[in-house]
Amino acid sequence: MVNVIGLGYIGLPTALMMASHGVKVVGTDYNEELVATLNAGKTTFKEDRLDELFQKAVQSGITFSTEYQVTDTYIVSVPTPYDEESKKIDAKYIESAVQSILKICPKGAVIVIESTVSPGTLDKYVRPLIKENGFIIGEDIHLVHAPERIIPGNMVYELLNNNRTIGADNKEIGEKIKELYSSFCKGDIVVTDIRTAEMTKVVENTFRDINIAYANELAKICRSDNMDVYEIIRIANKHPRVNILQPGPGVGGHCISVDPWFLVGDYPGLANIILAARKINDSMPEFVLERIHDIMKENGMTDISRVGFYGLTYKEDVDDMRESPTLQMLDSMEKHLCGNLVKIYDPFITKDVVPNQMHDLDEFLNAVDMVVLLVGHSEIRNNMDKLKGKVILDTRNICNIEGVYRI
Ligand code: SAJ
């Protein structure tokens, strides 16, 4: 039996996927409300094909509990935030999960850490904890790092098809865990050591952050000298070895905007491109605010309450708002005392989370003269006509209406 600890964006789909492929699974989370929701037969976030997978897993016997289970395999999938100041990982959730496992697990149990961690985290935080509790690693407890790679919006497909990395101290244990993941994963599963697996995961997300930063920097350069960044990227990408990403209002989500900081925090002075990229991407929400200011001025607009932000999530067609550029913009505006004046709408966010949030697209559009497209949800892509007559700032390059402004 596998006990999956942490039933969030990664733990839940992973637990469901294993269960629906014949593995006996119990999902554990300390959040009683979340466990109650799952036990009532409902999923806790929106994701393509997740409900279908949930039904299959329930039929296959998955159960959910707030209690840790006595079993031989644990998969830990808890948050790994970083400390705002030091930029180093805050491993407290991993530590408390491992501590709870150690209280009940039998001799020879395998603890698989799925959460993304900074390189060296298992050495620095997890191994000492296991030793302090009187266990011998490699005999009483086996440690494995199996970082996830799935992208919100396409999680089910990617869980099934992506290649994976498994880091273990011991080849045999690595192969055993590989076999477990092979129950559902059709991709290549590489077995390596723990440190390499930790570093590989962070390096992957940093690669993307740097590439997005390049697109964002180009957007700023082109804006300053009146060039069309989208046309330039489109043409440059015709080169067989060039693939520039798209500029946008910033980088959100809990991975790409977080993981590179681990390298900056741990290798100050060495992580230079990485730090520059982080700074560029973090500067984008402010850059969009400046664009709004300039465009309002150009159009003789003075009333910020007639400006509407479309989109609160960090990217299209997900309901995840973590580190979203829109929230970063609102934060920044609050400092200038105008944050609670703009109107805000997102079809995926039905609860009120910010002031002046609206819950109907038509009402939202009626209440504003200028729309800032911050997220390219399918809803707005399919309703572009409704924006006609508005002043539009499109930060995602999804609107072709004449006169549209871009970043
Ligand atoms: N973005 C741009 N321009 C682009 C692409 C993305 O501005 O050209 C923005 C998005 O709008 C978003 C942010 O970047 O705000 C990140 O979005 P994303 O879709 O690129 O990535 P995530 O955070 O949803 O998922 C990533 C994935 N990592 C990589 O692509 C290397 C996923 O595979 C990981 O599993 C996930 O992070 C994770 O959990 O680490």
Side-chain angles (χ1 to χ4, degrees), residues 112-145:
V112 181
I113 308 286
E114 265 228 23
S115 311
T116 302
V117 295
S118 61
T121 294
L122 270 67
D123 281 351
K124 262 183 256 164
Y125 303 97
V126 182
R127 286 185 205 276
L129 188 67
I130 296 174
K131 285 182 197 153
E132 274 162 32
N133 279 273
F135 294 90
I136 300 174
I137 298 173
E139 278 181 32
D140 304 327
I141 294 286
H142 299 285
L143 254 189
V144 172
H145 181 45

Short mmCIF file of all heavy atoms in Angstrom, two decimals, residues 112-145:
data_model
loop_
_atom_site.label_atom_id
_atom_site.label_comp_id
_atom_site.label_asym_id
_atom_site.label_seq_id
_atom_site.Cartn_x
_atom_site.Cartn_y
_atom_site.Cartn_z
N VAL A 112 9.46 8.49 -0.22
CA VAL A 112 9.72 9.15 -1.50
C VAL A 112 9.32 10.61 -1.36
O VAL A 112 8.16 10.91 -1.05
CB VAL A 112 8.86 8.51 -2.63
CG1 VAL A 112 9.16 9.18 -3.96
CG2 VAL A 112 9.08 7.01 -2.70
N ILE A 113 10.26 11.52 -1.58
CA ILE A 113 9.92 12.94 -1.56
C ILE A 113 9.62 13.35 -3.00
O ILE A 113 10.49 13.27 -3.87
CB ILE A 113 11.09 13.80 -1.00
CG1 ILE A 113 11.59 13.27 0.35
CG2 ILE A 113 10.70 15.28 -0.94
CD1 ILE A 113 10.72 13.52 1.54
N GLU A 114 8.38 13.81 -3.25
CA GLU A 114 8.02 14.28 -4.60
C GLU A 114 8.12 15.79 -4.70
O GLU A 114 8.30 16.34 -5.78
CB GLU A 114 6.58 13.86 -4.94
CG GLU A 114 6.47 12.57 -5.71
CD GLU A 114 5.56 12.66 -6.94
OE1 GLU A 114 5.32 13.75 -7.48
OE2 GLU A 114 5.08 11.59 -7.35
N SER A 115 7.91 16.46 -3.57
CA SER A 115 7.96 17.93 -3.56
C SER A 115 9.26 18.42 -4.19
O SER A 115 10.32 17.81 -4.00
CB SER A 115 7.95 18.47 -2.14
OG SER A 115 6.93 17.89 -1.37
N THR A 116 9.17 19.53 -4.91
CA THR A 116 10.39 20.13 -5.46
C THR A 116 11.22 20.68 -4.32
O THR A 116 10.69 21.37 -3.45
CB THR A 116 10.02 21.29 -6.40
OG1 THR A 116 9.17 20.77 -7.41
CG2 THR A 116 11.26 21.91 -7.02
N VAL A 117 12.50 20.38 -4.34
CA VAL A 117 13.36 20.87 -3.26
C VAL A 117 14.64 21.47 -3.86
O VAL A 117 14.98 21.16 -4.99
CB VAL A 117 13.75 19.71 -2.32
CG1 VAL A 117 12.53 19.17 -1.59
CG2 VAL A 117 14.46 18.59 -3.06
N SER A 118 15.31 22.30 -3.09
CA SER A 118 16.58 22.83 -3.60
C SER A 118 17.63 21.73 -3.47
O SER A 118 17.54 20.88 -2.58
CB SER A 118 16.99 24.09 -2.85
OG SER A 118 17.17 23.80 -1.49
N PRO A 119 18.64 21.76 -4.36
CA PRO A 119 19.66 20.71 -4.31
C PRO A 119 20.30 20.65 -2.93
O PRO A 119 20.70 21.67 -2.38
CB PRO A 119 20.68 21.16 -5.36
CG PRO A 119 19.93 22.10 -6.23
CD PRO A 119 18.84 22.71 -5.44
N GLY A 120 20.36 19.47 -2.37
CA GLY A 120 20.98 19.30 -1.05
C GLY A 120 19.97 19.28 0.09
O GLY A 120 20.34 19.05 1.24
N THR A 121 18.70 19.49 -0.20
CA THR A 121 17.69 19.55 0.87
C THR A 121 17.59 18.23 1.64
O THR A 121 17.47 18.22 2.86
CB THR A 121 16.31 19.91 0.28
OG1 THR A 121 16.39 21.23 -0.23
CG2 THR A 121 15.22 19.85 1.32
N LEU A 122 17.63 17.12 0.91
CA LEU A 122 17.50 15.85 1.62
C LEU A 122 18.70 15.62 2.55
O LEU A 122 18.52 15.14 3.67
CB LEU A 122 17.30 14.68 0.63
CG LEU A 122 15.81 14.43 0.31
CD1 LEU A 122 15.17 15.55 -0.47
CD2 LEU A 122 15.61 13.11 -0.43
N ASP A 123 19.88 16.03 2.07
CA ASP A 123 21.08 15.91 2.93
C ASP A 123 20.98 16.82 4.13
O ASP A 123 21.31 16.44 5.25
CB ASP A 123 22.34 16.33 2.14
CG ASP A 123 22.81 15.24 1.21
OD1 ASP A 123 22.27 14.12 1.30
OD2 ASP A 123 23.71 15.51 0.38
N LYS A 124 20.52 18.06 3.90
CA LYS A 124 20.55 19.07 4.96
C LYS A 124 19.44 18.90 5.99
O LYS A 124 19.63 19.15 7.15
CB LYS A 124 20.43 20.47 4.32
CG LYS A 124 21.76 21.15 4.15
CD LYS A 124 21.60 22.56 3.60
CE LYS A 124 21.98 22.61 2.13
NZ LYS A 124 21.55 23.77 1.40
N TYR A 125 18.26 18.54 5.53
CA TYR A 125 17.13 18.53 6.45
C TYR A 125 16.56 17.14 6.74
O TYR A 125 16.14 16.87 7.86
CB TYR A 125 15.99 19.41 5.91
CG TYR A 125 16.40 20.83 5.65
CD1 TYR A 125 16.77 21.24 4.37
CD2 TYR A 125 16.44 21.77 6.68
CE1 TYR A 125 17.17 22.56 4.12
CE2 TYR A 125 16.83 23.09 6.45
CZ TYR A 125 17.19 23.47 5.15
OH TYR A 125 17.58 24.76 4.92
N VAL A 126 16.50 16.28 5.72
CA VAL A 126 15.78 15.02 5.91
C VAL A 126 16.67 13.94 6.55
O VAL A 126 16.25 13.29 7.51
CB VAL A 126 15.17 14.53 4.57
CG1 VAL A 126 14.39 13.25 4.79
CG2 VAL A 126 14.27 15.61 3.99
N ARG A 127 17.88 13.80 6.05
CA ARG A 127 18.76 12.75 6.62
C ARG A 127 19.04 12.98 8.12
O ARG A 127 18.88 12.04 8.90
CB ARG A 127 20.09 12.68 5.86
CG ARG A 127 19.97 12.05 4.49
CD ARG A 127 21.36 11.90 3.86
NE ARG A 127 21.25 11.87 2.42
CZ ARG A 127 20.98 10.78 1.70
NH1 ARG A 127 20.78 9.63 2.30
NH2 ARG A 127 20.89 10.85 0.38
N PRO A 128 19.40 14.22 8.51
CA PRO A 128 19.65 14.42 9.95
C PRO A 128 18.43 14.08 10.80
O PRO A 128 18.55 13.50 11.87
CB PRO A 128 19.98 15.92 10.05
CG PRO A 128 20.37 16.35 8.68
CD PRO A 128 19.68 15.44 7.73
N LEU A 129 17.26 14.42 10.29
CA LEU A 129 16.02 14.17 11.03
C LEU A 129 15.82 12.66 11.24
O LEU A 129 15.46 12.21 12.33
CB LEU A 129 14.86 14.75 10.21
CG LEU A 129 13.49 14.79 10.84
CD1 LEU A 129 13.49 15.77 12.00
CD2 LEU A 129 12.46 15.24 9.79
N ILE A 130 16.09 11.91 10.19
CA ILE A 130 15.91 10.45 10.29
C ILE A 130 16.91 9.88 11.30
O ILE A 130 16.56 9.07 12.16
CB ILE A 130 16.07 9.80 8.89
CG1 ILE A 130 14.96 10.30 7.95
CG2 ILE A 130 16.05 8.27 8.99
CD1 ILE A 130 15.07 9.84 6.52
N LYS A 131 18.15 10.38 11.20
CA LYS A 131 19.20 9.89 12.13
C LYS A 131 18.87 10.26 13.57
O LYS A 131 18.99 9.43 14.47
CB LYS A 131 20.56 10.46 11.73
CG LYS A 131 21.12 9.77 10.50
CD LYS A 131 22.49 10.31 10.13
CE LYS A 131 22.83 9.94 8.69
NZ LYS A 131 23.76 10.87 8.06
N GLU A 132 18.45 11.51 13.78
CA GLU A 132 18.09 11.95 15.15
C GLU A 132 17.03 11.06 15.78
O GLU A 132 16.97 10.91 16.98
CB GLU A 132 17.48 13.36 15.10
CG GLU A 132 18.45 14.49 15.13
CD GLU A 132 17.79 15.78 14.65
OE1 GLU A 132 16.57 15.95 14.87
OE2 GLU A 132 18.50 16.59 14.02
N ASN A 133 16.18 10.52 14.95
CA ASN A 133 15.12 9.67 15.46
C ASN A 133 15.57 8.22 15.66
O ASN A 133 14.76 7.34 15.92
CB ASN A 133 13.90 9.72 14.52
CG ASN A 133 13.06 10.96 14.79
OD1 ASN A 133 12.19 10.97 15.64
ND2 ASN A 133 13.37 12.04 14.07
N GLY A 134 16.87 8.01 15.48
CA GLY A 134 17.44 6.70 15.78
C GLY A 134 17.33 5.68 14.65
O GLY A 134 17.52 4.48 14.89
N PHE A 135 17.07 6.13 13.44
CA PHE A 135 16.96 5.19 12.32
C PHE A 135 18.25 5.18 11.50
O PHE A 135 18.92 6.21 11.39
CB PHE A 135 15.81 5.58 11.39
CG PHE A 135 14.45 5.48 12.00
CD1 PHE A 135 13.89 6.56 12.68
CD2 PHE A 135 13.72 4.30 11.93
CE1 PHE A 135 12.64 6.47 13.25
CE2 PHE A 135 12.46 4.21 12.49
CZ PHE A 135 11.91 5.30 13.16
N ILE A 136 18.56 4.05 10.93
CA ILE A 136 19.72 3.98 10.02
C ILE A 136 19.20 4.03 8.59
O ILE A 136 18.39 3.19 8.18
CB ILE A 136 20.52 2.68 10.26
CG1 ILE A 136 21.03 2.65 11.71
CG2 ILE A 136 21.69 2.57 9.28
CD1 ILE A 136 21.71 1.35 12.10
N ILE A 137 19.68 5.06 7.86
CA ILE A 137 19.24 5.20 6.46
C ILE A 137 19.88 4.09 5.63
O ILE A 137 21.07 3.84 5.74
CB ILE A 137 19.61 6.59 5.91
CG1 ILE A 137 18.89 7.67 6.74
CG2 ILE A 137 19.23 6.72 4.43
CD1 ILE A 137 19.28 9.08 6.42
N GLY A 138 19.06 3.45 4.82
CA GLY A 138 19.58 2.35 4.01
C GLY A 138 19.26 1.00 4.65
O GLY A 138 19.36 -0.03 3.98
N GLU A 139 18.91 1.04 5.95
CA GLU A 139 18.51 -0.20 6.62
C GLU A 139 17.08 -0.08 7.14
O GLU A 139 16.18 -0.78 6.72
CB GLU A 139 19.46 -0.50 7.79
CG GLU A 139 20.73 -1.16 7.36
CD GLU A 139 21.62 -1.47 8.55
OE1 GLU A 139 21.13 -1.75 9.65
OE2 GLU A 139 22.86 -1.41 8.36
N ASP A 140 16.89 0.89 8.06
CA ASP A 140 15.56 1.06 8.65
C ASP A 140 14.64 1.85 7.73
O ASP A 140 13.44 1.60 7.66
CB ASP A 140 15.66 1.82 9.98
CG ASP A 140 16.61 1.13 10.94
OD1 ASP A 140 16.68 -0.10 10.89
OD2 ASP A 140 17.29 1.83 11.72
N ILE A 141 15.25 2.82 7.06
CA ILE A 141 14.49 3.72 6.19
C ILE A 141 15.25 3.90 4.89
O ILE A 141 16.48 4.07 4.91
CB ILE A 141 14.36 5.12 6.85
CG1 ILE A 141 13.53 5.08 8.13
CG2 ILE A 141 13.79 6.16 5.88
CD1 ILE A 141 12.04 4.92 7.91
N HIS A 142 14.52 3.90 3.79
CA HIS A 142 15.16 4.21 2.50
C HIS A 142 14.61 5.54 2.00
O HIS A 142 13.42 5.80 2.09
CB HIS A 142 14.85 3.11 1.48
CG HIS A 142 15.37 1.78 1.90
ND1 HIS A 142 16.71 1.46 1.84
CD2 HIS A 142 14.74 0.71 2.42
CE1 HIS A 142 16.88 0.23 2.29
NE2 HIS A 142 15.69 -0.25 2.65
N LEU A 143 15.53 6.34 1.45
CA LEU A 143 15.13 7.66 0.97
C LEU A 143 15.16 7.72 -0.55
O LEU A 143 16.11 7.23 -1.18
CB LEU A 143 16.11 8.70 1.48
CG LEU A 143 15.70 9.62 2.61
CD1 LEU A 143 16.75 10.69 2.79
CD2 LEU A 143 14.33 10.25 2.37
N VAL A 144 14.14 8.35 -1.14
CA VAL A 144 14.08 8.50 -2.59
C VAL A 144 13.56 9.90 -2.91
O VAL A 144 12.75 10.45 -2.17
CB VAL A 144 13.11 7.44 -3.21
CG1 VAL A 144 12.87 7.70 -4.68
CG2 VAL A 144 13.66 6.03 -3.00
N HIS A 145 14.07 10.49 -3.99
CA HIS A 145 13.50 11.75 -4.47
C HIS A 145 12.97 11.50 -5.87
O HIS A 145 13.72 11.11 -6.77
CB HIS A 145 14.57 12.85 -4.47
CG HIS A 145 14.05 14.17 -4.94
ND1 HIS A 145 12.85 14.70 -4.51
CD2 HIS A 145 14.57 15.09 -5.79
CE1 HIS A 145 12.65 15.87 -5.09
NE2 HIS A 145 13.68 16.13 -5.88
#
